[in-house]
């Protein structure tokens, strides 16, 4: 990998990030076209169902009045060679008579898996694979997991004070917001990225959240509530807005049988009951994740309280964490101490690819719970 290849691929990766929250469950992709060591076209996948990054970059060449023949394309994911919502990108690349295509990583999904690269090579186009591959795989880690395993990517998100408290009581006994406005804006960006948002019923009772993303655009994430005893308030905002986005209440089969009237009232409001059977020692969270994956939900955001967060960590069901740390020591004014249930964890948990960002005075720490490994390049 030359310095020039790395420079242009990093520019393509930066472009790809613009699609986060708008293209899921598809991957985010960026593309740069270079001719005479000058960038003559830029593009990224802007919206689900819209033109791919390569097509947008070729169109950008036309806008600038540049003929891309003989140029080099840098793209963060293998160009597609099959017909879906848009035409094959490989056909457009071949028709444009590019000389070389530099690809960060092979698309692991069906029916890709290297076929696009093979088609380009058969057309006489030089193809190089593996430039900035680690960065590309990190960028699309949720897509890669779902494409290769059929399992959804699970993000644990919470806000806490410096002393580990997740809520803050005001003078009237209510709960104040911990995080700043910039942090909440980032959470809404994260919500737009996922296919479902999960909380425990205690969060619904205490906070009465909507669990929607603002500004609202594109596909709406399903709202999932863990409620084994059907304690969800029938007048809560979630049940009042089932027409805006799906609501899924996860409970026990036994509860549905012993509380049929409440179950019927919930379903009459438009929510769906997902009743898990006797799991015979298997976690009901595993049952839930299997069901969400079966419904083609590629990313799940968990915004629950200390117990819910700890359950996902304890059962090793999470892929990513995002923690907003508020510069306050709440002491006795704070509640919901996340350190208390986490004391049940028997082993330390390390984070990989840690990033630290600032949102106002808040600090946001993100990291993956597993390492990302590169496949062999070809």
């Amino acid at each position: 990998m030359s310095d020039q290849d790395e420079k242009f691929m990093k520019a393509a990766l930066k472009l790809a990030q613009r699609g986060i929250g708008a293209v899921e469950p598809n991957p985010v992709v960026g593309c740069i076209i270079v001719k005479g060591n000058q960038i003559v076209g830029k593009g990224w996948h802007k919206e689900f169902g819209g033109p791919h990054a390569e097509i947008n970059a070729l169109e950008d060449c036309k806008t600038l009045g540049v003929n891309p023949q003989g140029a080099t394309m840098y793209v963060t994911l293998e160009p597609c060679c099959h017909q879906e919502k848009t035409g094959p990108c490989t056909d457009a690349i071949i028709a444009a008579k590019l000389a070389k295509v530099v690809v960060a990583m092979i698309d692991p999904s069906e029916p890709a898996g290297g076929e696009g690269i093979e088609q380009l090579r058969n057309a006489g186009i030089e193809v190089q694979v593996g430039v900035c591959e680690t960065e590309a795989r990190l960028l699309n880690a949720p897509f890669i997991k779902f494409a290769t395993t059929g399992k959804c990517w699970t993000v644990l998100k919470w806000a806490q004070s410096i002393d580990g408290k997740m809520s803050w009581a005001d003078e009237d006994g209510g709960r104040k917001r911990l995080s700043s406005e910039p942090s909440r804006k980032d959470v809404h960006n994260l919500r737009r990225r996922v296919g479902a948002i999960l909380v425990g019923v205690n969060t619904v009772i205490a906070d009465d959240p909507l669990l929607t993303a603002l500004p609202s655009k594109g596909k709406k994430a399903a709202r999932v509530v863990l409620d084994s005893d059907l304690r969800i308030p029938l007048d809560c905002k979630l049940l009042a807005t089932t027409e805006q986005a799906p609501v899924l209440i996860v409970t026990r089969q036994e509860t549905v049988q012993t509380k049929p009237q409440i179950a019927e009232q919930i379903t009459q409001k438009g929510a769906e009951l997902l009743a898990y059977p006797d799991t015979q020692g298997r976690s009901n969270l595993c049952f839930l994740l299997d069901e969400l994956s079966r419904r083609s939900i590629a990313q799940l955001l968990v915004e629950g309280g200390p117990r819910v967060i700890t359950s996902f960590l304890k059962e090793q069901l999470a892929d990513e964490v995002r923690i907003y740390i508020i510069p306050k020591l709440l002491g006795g004014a704070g509640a919901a101490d996340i350190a208390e249930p986490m004391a049940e964890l028997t082993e330390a948990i390390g984070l990989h690819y840690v990033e630290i960002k600032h949102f106002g005075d808040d600090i946001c720490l993100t990291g993956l719970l597993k390492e990302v490994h590169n496949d062999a390049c070809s």
Side-chain angles (χ1 to χ4, degrees), residues 21 157 177 181 183-199 203-204 207-225 237-247 301 303:
K157 165 262 164 184
R177 291 186 176 186
E181 185 61 34
S183 290
R184 290 194 290 273
K185 183 178 179 180
D186 187 61
V187 170
H188 283 281
N189 290 336
L190 179 58
R191 286 178 176 178
R192 282 196 294 271
R193 171 185 134 186
V194 303
I197 303 165
L198 179 146
V199 296
T203 296
V204 178
D207 297 337
D208 195 15
L210 270 174
L211 302 179
T212 52
L214 297 174
S216 178
K217 61 179 181 180
K219 188 177 180 181
K220 306 296 190 299
R223 284 120 11 120
V224 183
V225 181
K237 292 177 182 176
L238 287 176
L239 293 182
T241 58
T242 55
E243 76 287 349
Q244 295 181 19
V247 175
L301 174 60
E303 294 195 29

Side-chain angles (χ1 to χ4, degrees), residues 51-314:
H52 289 183
E54 300 94 320
I55 304 302
N56 287 332
L58 289 169
E59 285 297 317
D60 193 38
C61 288
K62 291 182 182 179
T63 301
L64 296 173
V66 177
N67 185 348
Q69 182 175 348
T72 297
M73 174 181 282
Y74 292 84
V75 62
T76 59
L77 186 70
E78 172 191 358
C80 66
C81 62
H82 52 281
Q83 180 74 42
E84 288 191 345
K85 292 182 176 64
T86 59
C89 290
T90 50
D91 288 355
I93 293 169
I94 293 168
K97 299 182 179 180
L98 270 70
K100 182 177 180 179
V101 177
V102 182
V103 179
M105 63 168 288
I106 295 172
D107 185 342
S109 62
E110 294 290 343
E115 291 188 13
I117 290 170
E118 182 180 359
Q119 189 176 95
L120 293 175
R121 285 175 172 161
N122 289 339
I125 297 174
E126 181 184 352
V127 181
Q128 180 182 352
V129 182
V131 176
C132 299
E133 183 178 3
T134 296
E135 294 93 329
R137 294 180 71 83
L138 285 170
L139 183 62
N140 276 313
F143 166 77
I144 294 168
K145 179 180 180 181
F146 193 75
T148 56
T149 68
K151 304 291 185 182
C152 67
W153 179 269
T154 302
V155 183
L156 306 182
K157 165 262 164 184
W158 71 90
Q160 65 170 70
S161 63
I162 295 173
D163 51 347
K165 306 298 173 60
M166 293 178 65
S167 66
W168 182 14
D170 61 21
E171 295 80 4
D172 299 324
R175 303 221 304 187
K176 292 184 181 180
R177 291 186 176 186
L178 276 181
S179 54
S180 66
E181 185 61 34
S183 290
R184 290 194 290 273
K185 183 178 179 180
D186 187 61
V187 170
H188 283 281
N189 290 336
L190 179 58
R191 286 178 176 178
R192 282 196 294 271
R193 171 185 134 186
V194 303
I197 303 165
L198 179 146
V199 296
V201 68
N202 288 334
T203 296
V204 178
I205 293 170
D207 297 337
D208 195 15
L210 270 174
L211 302 179
T212 52
L214 297 174
S216 178
K217 61 179 181 180
K219 188 177 180 181
K220 306 296 190 299
R223 284 120 11 120
V224 183
V225 181
L226 300 178
D227 187 6
S228 59
D229 294 317
L230 291 184
R231 295 189 295 121
I232 187 169
L234 295 176
D235 60 350
C236 70
K237 292 177 182 176
L238 287 176
L239 293 182
T241 58
T242 55
E243 76 287 349
Q244 295 181 19
V247 175
L248 181 64
I249 311 298
V250 184
T251 190
R252 299 177 297 172
Q253 283 186 353
E254 180 184 356
T255 302
V256 175
Q257 294 166 357
T258 56
K259 297 182 177 180
Q261 291 182 332
I262 294 177
E264 184 178 0
Q265 286 177 296
I266 290 172
T267 55
Q268 284 178 346
K269 288 179 175 291
E272 179 185 354
L273 287 177
L274 176 61
Y276 56 88
D278 182 353
T279 54
Q280 298 180 342
R282 188 169 179 265
S283 167
N284 65 310
L285 292 181
C286 292
F287 170 85
L288 171 62
L289 291 179
D290 286 347
E291 178 62 24
L292 294 179
S293 299
R294 188 185 68 79
R295 299 181 184 211
S296 297
I297 291 176
Q299 294 191 62
L300 169 68
L301 174 60
V302 178
E303 294 195 29
R307 286 286 170 190
V308 173
I309 294 289
T310 301
S311 295
F312 276 89
L313 290 172
K314 193 173 183 180

